[in-house]
Amino acid sequence: MEATNQDRIITLTLNYTNGKQQEFEFISSAERVGEQANLGTRLHKFLTADPIIIELADKLVVIPIHNIESLEISPIPSKLPDGVFHSMREIKK
């Protein structure tokens, strides 16, 4: 997957309840009109979906939401769904 200077590679990390982890990537184009706002909307739909469905180049991956303990998206999209706590810091113990 190659990104141009105006593209951002977004990484989605799924942490499963069985302790396994799986990562996916997609390119978010800064050139597309409204792409960042659209990314926030897509993120909200993704987080409320059951099951989560991911299209890869050669297959469709269907993941029941009850198998996911947590997920991480990096870098942070500029437009986020309502209800997100902003400017937080993780405290490691």
Side-chain angles (χ1 to χ4, degrees):
M1 178 178 304
E2 288 188 37
T4 66
N5 290 341
Q6 295 178 330
D7 293 339
R8 291 187 341 160
I9 295 178
I10 307 293
T11 302
L12 168 68
T13 304
L14 298 177
N15 299 299
Y16 295 103
T17 56
N18 66 1
K20 292 186 179 180
Q21 189 177 72
Q22 192 171 21
E23 290 188 346
F24 300 92
E25 289 185 334
F26 66 94
I27 295 176
S28 174
S29 176
E31 282 188 331
R32 289 188 221 157
V33 177
E35 176 66 23
Q36 290 305 309
N38 187 32
L39 187 57
T41 302
R42 286 173 49 199
L43 175 60
H44 177 72
K45 287 181 181 178
F46 181 80
L47 294 173
T48 57
D50 188 12
I52 291 174
I53 302 172
I54 298 172
E55 178 188 2
L56 302 177
D58 60 343
K59 62 185 170 184
L60 202 59
V61 179
V62 180
I63 306 165
I65 196 75
H66 65 269
N67 289 344
I68 299 173
E69 183 175 282
S70 65
L71 60 90
E72 301 169 26
I73 297 174
S74 178
I76 299 170
S78 58
K79 175 75 173 144
L80 297 171
D82 292 336
V84 173
F85 289 100
H86 297 276
S87 303
M88 299 291 287
R89 181 173 58 96
E90 182 178 4
I91 300 172
K92 307 242 184 200
K93 290 187 177 185

